[in-house]
Amino acid sequence: MMRPNLINGQHLIDSFMRLLPPSIESKSAHYSSSLKGKIAIEKIPQSVKDKLPNIFQWEPPENDWAMKLFNGSTAMHNEDHSSADMALAGILAKHGLTAYEADQVFRASGLYRPKWDELRGEQTYGEITIGKAYNFRHFDESEQYVAKNISELVFGSAKTYKPIYVPNGMPPRRFVGPQIADGVRLFPERALSSLVALGAVGKTSILLSIACHIAAGKDWNDRPLQQQKVAMFFCEETQEEVSRKFSAITNSWTDEERGLAESNLITIPLLGVDARLTAINKNQYLSSGITEKIIFLLDDFDLKDGLVILDHMQGFTAGDLNLSETATAICREANKIVEATGAAVVLAAHISKGNINAKEVEQGFAVGSLAFENATRQMSGMITMPTEDAKKYGLEDTRKDYVRLALAKNSYGASNNGLWLRKIVSKEYHAPLFEPVSLSKPILAGKLSELQKIALQICNYLTKHPNTTKNQLDKVSGIKGPLKASKSKVRESLDRLIAIDRVKAYKVSESERSELGLPKQVKEVLILNEGMTSNKPANVSDINLGSADFMSTDDWG
């Protein structure tokens, strides 16, 4: 039975859902603030501080107007506090800050006072001040109120743009995601990344699995992960389906590990909600305001330098994805989240139709305009095992259960051929799981001893016929049988497989016998140990039966 309240932080999810508008086209007649109270200067994102170098990055002259206003001086406005408020808001607008960013900076300034949050009708004093500074205007009744674009870019002092030599090297860039090969990790911190794949390949399941491992600080691919907070937004999943996958992923974990995942992970289902981060007005790409609501939720969750996953890009985007303007707009909104949180932000996306039968993950792999790839710092991709690889590994019958995860672009390190993932279906939750696997080419049969050849046949048979008993193996023995060996040789080879722990004689319980549809007289079944995710019998899709490790033991004689 599925446990209620599976993932902590449901109140955060409910709050966010209430913030979402019923439609992108819904009207918003003014700037609406999601912030409250004073903000510490340390909480202002560095990307925002970079836009205000005369306040945050260098020592200005004593008579610098902007610095005096930020520090709370009203002397230049005849001690009229409201005029000083308006002046600082205007400076922030001219320096290219968004209305939300200006609100943040103002709350960190010496001018902030409780009046900023006091209502003046339907709006607060601060919202009215920001609205005036940004010259909000109304287009038509059917269109949104939007901020007037800042047509003039304002630069800071020239001295702030000089390159800086750092002696003795610099620390490496930090990554939030798992390591998929030596020296190659997914999802750089404070940057936008993407994961692209054909629909139904399993990118949502893989991303949720990675999210759970990061939230719990649990090893993935036998490599350690730092425990960090994670938020994952879904455009095509219900909360029930998310909980099903979460339960399948963490079912074999300890209570402590699962508890950490629940505490440090929030999952926000947006199925049936128009949650596009961008809107289009007369061919102009605008922010819908949803990004700021996401940032507010992440701040409430206290997510900093963690992982944010938007699954998938098509559901968060307005416009034709083949246009560079569309791709640029969605990446601009995603980068707002990067700037506000310092997190690794990942956009899941579909691949282009021309890449449905792709054999490699490479540039041009993602859907739509190349502007999307260009705007991301890292692009990873997933493809189902191609036929050529299936033949190489002897997995022709089960190749669709294997997926390649690799990098097409990596601005912060090397690219590589990635790793293989194998799909396993959870019987308890009827949900797919993906586990990293190491594959090697089968050894040619001509190099095997007689018992090894029979052992290989047994393993192949158990793969295709799960929950086989010893008596059933006896029945398929014989030179004319599928194992092509006598009963005594089959038994001898099976005993060797059990001795080296490749095959296990598993005693089934009454409930398992009923669940698996086994006859009452069956007391134990044979299962393949390699690649099992639990100690219960299961339908194993395939394993690497011909590895050198399997064939190198001296027990074969």
Side-chain angles (χ1 to χ4, degrees), residues 348-368:
H350 292 163
I351 63 172
S352 108
K353 292 181 179 179
N355 283 318
I356 287 177
N357 295 314
K359 298 179 181 179
E360 294 182 7
V361 177
E362 54 192 351
Q363 288 283 79
F365 191 70
V367 68

Side-chain angles (χ1 to χ4, degrees), residues 5 41 71 132 151 154 233 298 354 374 403 417:
N5 300 322
I41 292 178
N71 287 337
K132 289 179 179 178
S151 59
V154 179
F233 297 81
L298 299 177
N374 294 336
V403 173
N417 293 325

Side-chain angles (χ1 to χ4, degrees), residues 6 9 29 33 88 110 217 238 247 250 272 278 297 326 350 393 501 508 514:
L6 184 61
S33 176
L88 179 57
T238 63
S247 301
T250 62
T278 58
L297 174 67
T326 303
H350 292 163
Y393 294 115
D501 204 32
V508 293
S514 174

Side-chain angles (χ1 to χ4, degrees), residues 28-44:
S28 175
H30 51 73
Y31 167 67
S32 178
S33 176
S34 57
L35 302 171
K36 296 294 180 186
K38 181 78 173 174
I39 289 181
I41 292 178
E42 302 79 56
K43 294 200 72 173
I44 303 298

Side-chain angles (χ1 to χ4, degrees), residues 402 422-424 435-437 501-502 528-534 538-544:
Y402 291 84
R422 182 179 61 204
K423 179 180 179 180
I424 300 173
E435 295 185 343
V437 291
D501 204 32
R502 178 52 60 93
L528 293 165
N529 273 347
E530 183 181 11
M532 298 299 293
T533 57
S534 69
N539 294 325
V540 183
S541 60
D542 206 347
I543 61 172
N544 182 21

